[in-house]
PDB file of all heavy atoms in Angstrom:
ATOM      1  N   LEU A 494      -5.332 -84.857 -62.173  1.00 76.00           N
ATOM      2  CA  LEU A 494      -6.236 -85.957 -62.223  1.00 76.00           C
ATOM      3  C   LEU A 494      -6.009 -87.078 -61.231  1.00 76.00           C
ATOM      4  O   LEU A 494      -6.874 -87.757 -60.724  1.00 76.00           O
ATOM      5  CB  LEU A 494      -6.242 -86.575 -63.640  1.00 76.00           C
ATOM      6  CG  LEU A 494      -6.863 -85.579 -64.747  1.00 76.00           C
ATOM      7  CD1 LEU A 494      -6.632 -86.317 -66.102  1.00 76.00           C
ATOM      8  CD2 LEU A 494      -8.326 -85.382 -64.429  1.00 76.00           C
ATOM      9  N   LYS A 495      -4.675 -87.395 -60.995  1.00 74.00           N
ATOM     10  CA  LYS A 495      -4.288 -88.403 -60.045  1.00 74.00           C
ATOM     11  C   LYS A 495      -4.769 -87.969 -58.636  1.00 74.00           C
ATOM     12  O   LYS A 495      -5.192 -88.802 -57.816  1.00 74.00           O
ATOM     13  CB  LYS A 495      -2.831 -88.605 -60.054  1.00 74.00           C
ATOM     14  CG  LYS A 495      -2.314 -89.253 -61.399  1.00 74.00           C
ATOM     15  CD  LYS A 495      -0.765 -89.440 -61.349  1.00 74.00           C
ATOM     16  CE  LYS A 495      -0.306 -90.022 -62.679  1.00 74.00           C
ATOM     17  NZ  LYS A 495       1.283 -90.219 -62.594  1.00 74.00           N
ATOM     18  N   LEU A 496      -4.544 -86.736 -58.324  1.00 74.00           N
ATOM     19  CA  LEU A 496      -4.990 -86.257 -56.965  1.00 74.00           C
ATOM     20  C   LEU A 496      -6.523 -86.241 -56.944  1.00 74.00           C
ATOM     21  O   LEU A 496      -6.995 -86.635 -55.789  1.00 74.00           O
ATOM     22  CB  LEU A 496      -4.475 -84.794 -56.780  1.00 74.00           C
ATOM     23  CG  LEU A 496      -2.943 -84.600 -56.695  1.00 74.00           C
ATOM     24  CD1 LEU A 496      -2.596 -83.163 -56.635  1.00 74.00           C
ATOM     25  CD2 LEU A 496      -2.385 -85.410 -55.497  1.00 74.00           C
ATOM     26  N   TYR A 497      -7.204 -85.947 -57.897  1.00 77.00           N
ATOM     27  CA  TYR A 497      -8.633 -86.031 -57.879  1.00 77.00           C
ATOM     28  C   TYR A 497      -9.163 -87.401 -57.603  1.00 77.00           C
ATOM     29  O   TYR A 497     -10.082 -87.678 -56.889  1.00 77.00           O
ATOM     30  CB  TYR A 497      -9.199 -85.383 -59.190  1.00 77.00           C
ATOM     31  CG  TYR A 497     -10.701 -85.632 -59.322  1.00 77.00           C
ATOM     32  CD1 TYR A 497     -11.606 -84.718 -58.654  1.00 77.00           C
ATOM     33  CD2 TYR A 497     -11.283 -86.639 -60.197  1.00 77.00           C
ATOM     34  CE1 TYR A 497     -12.994 -84.943 -58.711  1.00 77.00           C
ATOM     35  CE2 TYR A 497     -12.556 -86.737 -60.274  1.00 77.00           C
ATOM     36  CZ  TYR A 497     -13.531 -85.876 -59.569  1.00 77.00           C
ATOM     37  OH  TYR A 497     -14.839 -86.073 -59.668  1.00 77.00           O
ATOM     38  N   ALA A 498      -8.480 -88.408 -58.416  1.00 78.00           N
ATOM     39  CA  ALA A 498      -8.900 -89.755 -58.239  1.00 78.00           C
ATOM     40  C   ALA A 498      -8.602 -90.271 -56.838  1.00 78.00           C
ATOM     41  O   ALA A 498      -9.390 -90.993 -56.261  1.00 78.00           O
ATOM     42  CB  ALA A 498      -8.064 -90.571 -59.229  1.00 78.00           C
ATOM     43  N   THR A 499      -7.480 -89.844 -56.231  1.00 76.00           N
ATOM     44  CA  THR A 499      -7.114 -90.212 -54.874  1.00 76.00           C
ATOM     45  C   THR A 499      -8.150 -89.693 -53.850  1.00 76.00           C
ATOM     46  O   THR A 499      -8.621 -90.408 -53.010  1.00 76.00           O
ATOM     47  CB  THR A 499      -5.734 -89.671 -54.506  1.00 76.00           C
ATOM     48  OG1 THR A 499      -4.807 -90.215 -55.445  1.00 76.00           O
ATOM     49  CG2 THR A 499      -5.346 -90.117 -53.098  1.00 76.00           C
ATOM     50  N   ALA A 500      -8.529 -88.477 -54.052  1.00 78.00           N
ATOM     51  CA  ALA A 500      -9.626 -87.808 -53.153  1.00 78.00           C
ATOM     52  C   ALA A 500     -10.905 -88.495 -53.366  1.00 78.00           C
ATOM     53  O   ALA A 500     -11.582 -88.822 -52.321  1.00 78.00           O
ATOM     54  CB  ALA A 500      -9.687 -86.314 -53.467  1.00 78.00           C
ATOM     55  N   SER A 501     -11.231 -88.930 -54.554  1.00 82.00           N
ATOM     56  CA  SER A 501     -12.530 -89.541 -54.817  1.00 82.00           C
ATOM     57  C   SER A 501     -12.490 -90.918 -54.148  1.00 82.00           C
ATOM     58  O   SER A 501     -13.557 -91.360 -53.629  1.00 82.00           O
ATOM     59  CB  SER A 501     -12.733 -89.708 -56.331  1.00 82.00           C
ATOM     60  OG  SER A 501     -12.849 -88.513 -56.935  1.00 82.00           O
ATOM     61  N   LEU A 502     -11.466 -91.632 -54.248  1.00 77.00           N
ATOM     62  CA  LEU A 502     -11.357 -92.980 -53.612  1.00 77.00           C
ATOM     63  C   LEU A 502     -11.546 -92.829 -52.145  1.00 77.00           C
ATOM     64  O   LEU A 502     -12.343 -93.650 -51.532  1.00 77.00           O
ATOM     65  CB  LEU A 502     -10.057 -93.655 -53.955  1.00 77.00           C
ATOM     66  CG  LEU A 502      -9.852 -94.116 -55.334  1.00 77.00           C
ATOM     67  CD1 LEU A 502      -8.395 -94.582 -55.584  1.00 77.00           C
ATOM     68  CD2 LEU A 502     -10.789 -95.293 -55.678  1.00 77.00           C
ATOM     69  N   LYS A 503     -10.971 -91.893 -51.480  1.00 77.00           N
ATOM     70  CA  LYS A 503     -11.069 -91.666 -50.040  1.00 77.00           C
ATOM     71  C   LYS A 503     -12.525 -91.327 -49.644  1.00 77.00           C
ATOM     72  O   LYS A 503     -13.052 -91.860 -48.729  1.00 77.00           O
ATOM     73  CB  LYS A 503     -10.200 -90.539 -49.545  1.00 77.00           C
ATOM     74  CG  LYS A 503     -10.144 -90.327 -48.082  1.00 77.00           C
ATOM     75  CD  LYS A 503      -9.605 -91.611 -47.354  1.00 77.00           C
ATOM     76  CE  LYS A 503      -9.592 -91.396 -45.812  1.00 77.00           C
ATOM     77  NZ  LYS A 503      -9.095 -92.589 -45.086  1.00 77.00           N
ATOM     78  N   ALA A 504     -13.184 -90.423 -50.486  1.00 79.00           N
ATOM     79  CA  ALA A 504     -14.605 -90.112 -50.206  1.00 79.00           C
ATOM     80  C   ALA A 504     -15.399 -91.355 -50.292  1.00 79.00           C
ATOM     81  O   ALA A 504     -16.369 -91.630 -49.487  1.00 79.00           O
ATOM     82  CB  ALA A 504     -14.998 -89.021 -51.217  1.00 79.00           C
ATOM     83  N   SER A 505     -15.219 -92.230 -51.360  1.00 79.00           N
ATOM     84  CA  SER A 505     -16.001 -93.391 -51.544  1.00 79.00           C
ATOM     85  C   SER A 505     -15.809 -94.368 -50.385  1.00 79.00           C
ATOM     86  O   SER A 505     -16.706 -95.122 -49.968  1.00 79.00           O
ATOM     87  CB  SER A 505     -15.634 -94.011 -52.866  1.00 79.00           C
ATOM     88  OG  SER A 505     -15.844 -93.202 -53.996  1.00 79.00           O
ATOM     89  N   GLU A 506     -14.545 -94.457 -49.891  1.00 76.00           N
ATOM     90  CA  GLU A 506     -14.175 -95.380 -48.863  1.00 76.00           C
ATOM     91  C   GLU A 506     -15.010 -95.032 -47.568  1.00 76.00           C
ATOM     92  O   GLU A 506     -15.479 -95.901 -46.890  1.00 76.00           O
ATOM     93  CB  GLU A 506     -12.705 -95.280 -48.514  1.00 76.00           C
ATOM     94  CG  GLU A 506     -12.238 -96.152 -47.369  1.00 76.00           C
ATOM     95  CD  GLU A 506     -10.841 -95.848 -46.949  1.00 76.00           C
ATOM     96  OE1 GLU A 506     -10.017 -95.613 -47.912  1.00 76.00           O
ATOM     97  OE2 GLU A 506     -10.475 -95.916 -45.836  1.00 76.00           O
ATOM     98  N   LYS A 507     -15.203 -93.743 -47.304  1.00 74.00           N
ATOM     99  CA  LYS A 507     -15.933 -93.378 -46.005  1.00 74.00           C
ATOM    100  C   LYS A 507     -17.397 -93.675 -46.230  1.00 74.00           C
ATOM    101  O   LYS A 507     -18.108 -93.839 -45.223  1.00 74.00           O
ATOM    102  CB  LYS A 507     -15.778 -91.870 -45.814  1.00 74.00           C
ATOM    103  CG  LYS A 507     -14.294 -91.407 -45.389  1.00 74.00           C
ATOM    104  CD  LYS A 507     -14.253 -90.170 -44.692  1.00 74.00           C
ATOM    105  CE  LYS A 507     -14.908 -90.235 -43.350  1.00 74.00           C
ATOM    106  NZ  LYS A 507     -14.749 -89.029 -42.498  1.00 74.00           N
ATOM    107  N   LEU A 508     -17.882 -93.714 -47.480  1.00 75.00           N
ATOM    108  CA  LEU A 508     -19.307 -93.987 -47.726  1.00 75.00           C
ATOM    109  C   LEU A 508     -19.630 -95.473 -47.990  1.00 75.00           C
ATOM    110  O   LEU A 508     -20.728 -95.890 -48.267  1.00 75.00           O
ATOM    111  CB  LEU A 508     -19.825 -93.152 -48.790  1.00 75.00           C
ATOM    112  CG  LEU A 508     -19.934 -91.598 -48.549  1.00 75.00           C
ATOM    113  CD1 LEU A 508     -20.218 -90.830 -49.842  1.00 75.00           C
ATOM    114  CD2 LEU A 508     -20.950 -91.334 -47.487  1.00 75.00           C
ATOM    115  N   ARG A 509     -18.579 -96.305 -47.950  1.00 73.00           N
ATOM    116  CA  ARG A 509     -18.730 -97.693 -48.415  1.00 73.00           C
ATOM    117  C   ARG A 509     -19.650 -98.432 -47.511  1.00 73.00           C
ATOM    118  O   ARG A 509     -20.357 -99.343 -47.909  1.00 73.00           O
ATOM    119  CB  ARG A 509     -17.319 -98.375 -48.340  1.00 73.00           C
ATOM    120  CG  ARG A 509     -17.293 -99.723 -49.038  1.00 73.00           C
ATOM    121  CD  ARG A 509     -15.876-100.279 -49.138  1.00 73.00           C
ATOM    122  NE  ARG A 509     -15.108 -99.344 -49.966  1.00 73.00           N
ATOM    123  CZ  ARG A 509     -13.707 -99.348 -49.950  1.00 73.00           C
ATOM    124  NH1 ARG A 509     -13.011-100.209 -49.178  1.00 73.00           N
ATOM    125  NH2 ARG A 509     -13.003 -98.565 -50.746  1.00 73.00           N
ATOM    126  N   GLY A 510     -19.635 -98.126 -46.190  1.00 66.00           N
ATOM    127  CA  GLY A 510     -20.549 -98.832 -45.329  1.00 66.00           C
ATOM    128  C   GLY A 510     -21.936 -98.329 -45.239  1.00 66.00           C
ATOM    129  O   GLY A 510     -22.746 -98.867 -44.538  1.00 66.00           O
ATOM    130  N   GLY A 511     -22.183 -97.233 -45.985  1.00 69.00           N
ATOM    131  CA  GLY A 511     -23.533 -96.602 -45.975  1.00 69.00           C
ATOM    132  C   GLY A 511     -23.505 -95.441 -45.051  1.00 69.00           C
ATOM    133  O   GLY A 511     -22.679 -95.222 -44.121  1.00 69.00           O
ATOM    134  N   ILE A 512     -24.476 -94.617 -45.233  1.00 76.00           N
ATOM    135  CA  ILE A 512     -24.687 -93.285 -44.508  1.00 76.00           C
ATOM    136  C   ILE A 512     -24.941 -93.604 -43.034  1.00 76.00           C
ATOM    137  O   ILE A 512     -24.533 -92.807 -42.224  1.00 76.00           O
ATOM    138  CB  ILE A 512     -25.827 -92.454 -45.136  1.00 76.00           C
ATOM    139  CG1 ILE A 512     -25.471 -92.053 -46.524  1.00 76.00           C
ATOM    140  CG2 ILE A 512     -26.114 -91.196 -44.289  1.00 76.00           C
ATOM    141  CD1 ILE A 512     -26.530 -91.309 -47.266  1.00 76.00           C
ATOM    142  N   ILE A 513     -25.579 -94.711 -42.741  1.00 78.00           N
ATOM    143  CA  ILE A 513     -25.932 -94.984 -41.420  1.00 78.00           C
ATOM    144  C   ILE A 513     -24.732 -94.994 -40.434  1.00 78.00           C
ATOM    145  O   ILE A 513     -24.775 -94.650 -39.190  1.00 78.00           O
ATOM    146  CB  ILE A 513     -26.680 -96.338 -41.334  1.00 78.00           C
ATOM    147  CG1 ILE A 513     -27.350 -96.510 -39.896  1.00 78.00           C
ATOM    148  CG2 ILE A 513     -25.728 -97.515 -41.617  1.00 78.00           C
ATOM    149  CD1 ILE A 513     -28.247 -97.722 -39.801  1.00 78.00           C
ATOM    150  N   TYR A 514     -23.508 -95.352 -41.008  1.00 77.00           N
ATOM    151  CA  TYR A 514     -22.338 -95.308 -40.068  1.00 77.00           C
ATOM    152  C   TYR A 514     -21.820 -93.953 -39.777  1.00 77.00           C
ATOM    153  O   TYR A 514     -21.023 -93.832 -38.869  1.00 77.00           O
ATOM    154  CB  TYR A 514     -21.253 -96.185 -40.832  1.00 77.00           C
ATOM    155  CG  TYR A 514     -21.489 -97.717 -40.847  1.00 77.00           C
ATOM    156  CD1 TYR A 514     -22.098 -98.278 -41.934  1.00 77.00           C
ATOM    157  CD2 TYR A 514     -21.268 -98.490 -39.695  1.00 77.00           C
ATOM    158  CE1 TYR A 514     -22.405 -99.603 -41.928  1.00 77.00           C
ATOM    159  CE2 TYR A 514     -21.517 -99.830 -39.715  1.00 77.00           C
ATOM    160  CZ  TYR A 514     -22.093-100.413 -40.885  1.00 77.00           C
ATOM    161  OH  TYR A 514     -22.343-101.737 -40.824  1.00 77.00           O
ATOM    162  N   LEU A 515     -22.234 -92.963 -40.518  1.00 80.00           N
ATOM    163  CA  LEU A 515     -21.813 -91.593 -40.253  1.00 80.00           C
ATOM    164  C   LEU A 515     -22.829 -90.912 -39.179  1.00 80.00           C
ATOM    165  O   LEU A 515     -22.535 -89.794 -38.760  1.00 80.00           O
ATOM    166  CB  LEU A 515     -21.747 -90.803 -41.540  1.00 80.00           C
ATOM    167  CG  LEU A 515     -20.843 -91.313 -42.658  1.00 80.00           C
ATOM    168  CD1 LEU A 515     -20.860 -90.496 -43.872  1.00 80.00           C
ATOM    169  CD2 LEU A 515     -19.368 -91.302 -42.141  1.00 80.00           C
ATOM    170  N   LEU A 516     -24.090 -91.526 -39.112  1.00 83.00           N
ATOM    171  CA  LEU A 516     -25.091 -90.812 -38.295  1.00 83.00           C
ATOM    172  C   LEU A 516     -24.655 -90.611 -36.844  1.00 83.00           C
ATOM    173  O   LEU A 516     -24.952 -89.523 -36.295  1.00 83.00           O
ATOM    174  CB  LEU A 516     -26.367 -91.594 -38.333  1.00 83.00           C
ATOM    175  CG  LEU A 516     -27.015 -91.655 -39.750  1.00 83.00           C
ATOM    176  CD1 LEU A 516     -28.259 -92.412 -39.721  1.00 83.00           C
ATOM    177  CD2 LEU A 516     -27.322 -90.192 -40.210  1.00 83.00           C
ATOM    178  N   PRO A 517     -23.996 -91.551 -36.137  1.00 84.00           N
ATOM    179  CA  PRO A 517     -23.551 -91.336 -34.803  1.00 84.00           C
ATOM    180  C   PRO A 517     -22.754 -90.039 -34.629  1.00 84.00           C
ATOM    181  O   PRO A 517     -22.839 -89.235 -33.666  1.00 84.00           O
ATOM    182  CB  PRO A 517     -22.874 -92.609 -34.401  1.00 84.00           C
ATOM    183  CG  PRO A 517     -23.424 -93.630 -35.225  1.00 84.00           C
ATOM    184  CD  PRO A 517     -23.663 -92.966 -36.525  1.00 84.00           C
ATOM    185  N   ASP A 518     -21.715 -89.931 -35.475  1.00 85.00           N
ATOM    186  CA  ASP A 518     -20.802 -88.757 -35.437  1.00 85.00           C
ATOM    187  C   ASP A 518     -21.533 -87.529 -35.728  1.00 85.00           C
ATOM    188  O   ASP A 518     -21.316 -86.460 -35.018  1.00 85.00           O
ATOM    189  CB  ASP A 518     -19.680 -88.940 -36.542  1.00 85.00           C
ATOM    190  CG  ASP A 518     -18.707 -87.753 -36.415  1.00 85.00           C
ATOM    191  OD1 ASP A 518     -18.144 -87.501 -35.389  1.00 85.00           O
ATOM    192  OD2 ASP A 518     -18.527 -87.049 -37.516  1.00 85.00           O
ATOM    193  N   ILE A 519     -22.481 -87.490 -36.680  1.00 86.00           N
ATOM    194  CA  ILE A 519     -23.297 -86.377 -36.973  1.00 86.00           C
ATOM    195  C   ILE A 519     -24.165 -85.986 -35.781  1.00 86.00           C
ATOM    196  O   ILE A 519     -24.280 -84.811 -35.407  1.00 86.00           O
ATOM    197  CB  ILE A 519     -24.115 -86.562 -38.210  1.00 86.00           C
ATOM    198  CG1 ILE A 519     -23.251 -86.664 -39.470  1.00 86.00           C
ATOM    199  CG2 ILE A 519     -25.158 -85.456 -38.379  1.00 86.00           C
ATOM    200  CD1 ILE A 519     -24.012 -87.029 -40.746  1.00 86.00           C
ATOM    201  N   ALA A 520     -24.771 -86.971 -35.142  1.00 89.00           N
ATOM    202  CA  ALA A 520     -25.632 -86.680 -33.977  1.00 89.00           C
ATOM    203  C   ALA A 520     -24.854 -86.093 -32.852  1.00 89.00           C
ATOM    204  O   ALA A 520     -25.328 -85.192 -32.192  1.00 89.00           O
ATOM    205  CB  ALA A 520     -26.230 -88.054 -33.465  1.00 89.00           C
ATOM    206  N   LEU A 521     -23.591 -86.602 -32.626  1.00 89.00           N
ATOM    207  CA  LEU A 521     -22.776 -86.059 -31.506  1.00 89.00           C
ATOM    208  C   LEU A 521     -22.400 -84.501 -31.865  1.00 89.00           C
ATOM    209  O   LEU A 521     -22.346 -83.693 -30.934  1.00 89.00           O
ATOM    210  CB  LEU A 521     -21.515 -86.865 -31.372  1.00 89.00           C
ATOM    211  CG  LEU A 521     -21.709 -88.175 -30.695  1.00 89.00           C
ATOM    212  CD1 LEU A 521     -20.391 -89.020 -30.675  1.00 89.00           C
ATOM    213  CD2 LEU A 521     -22.189 -88.077 -29.225  1.00 89.00           C
ATOM    214  N   ARG A 522     -22.075 -84.283 -33.104  1.00 89.00           N
ATOM    215  CA  ARG A 522     -21.737 -82.923 -33.453  1.00 89.00           C
ATOM    216  C   ARG A 522     -22.996 -81.909 -33.299  1.00 89.00           C
ATOM    217  O   ARG A 522     -22.870 -80.821 -32.847  1.00 89.00           O
ATOM    218  CB  ARG A 522     -21.224 -82.866 -34.846  1.00 89.00           C
ATOM    219  CG  ARG A 522     -19.898 -83.559 -35.013  1.00 89.00           C
ATOM    220  CD  ARG A 522     -19.405 -83.515 -36.393  1.00 89.00           C
ATOM    221  NE  ARG A 522     -19.056 -82.206 -36.874  1.00 89.00           N
ATOM    222  CZ  ARG A 522     -18.467 -81.921 -38.112  1.00 89.00           C
ATOM    223  NH1 ARG A 522     -18.182 -82.828 -38.886  1.00 89.00           N
ATOM    224  NH2 ARG A 522     -18.185 -80.616 -38.369  1.00 89.00           N
TER     225      ARG A 522
END
């Protein structure tokens, strides 16, 4: 459960600024 919570926090952190911040990396790929 602790590992799951840690992974969830990291996933939330990457999405904290919104999906728009991931779009440049997705476009390059």
Side-chain angles (χ1 to χ4, degrees):
L494 290 176
K495 293 179 181 179
L496 295 176
Y497 173 78
T499 302
S501 299
L502 287 172
K503 184 62 177 180
S505 300
E506 177 186 325
K507 294 200 69 173
L508 292 170
R509 188 173 300 163
I512 296 177
I513 192 172
Y514 288 96
L515 300 176
L516 293 181
D518 181 60
I519 292 175
L521 288 174
R522 293 180 67 176

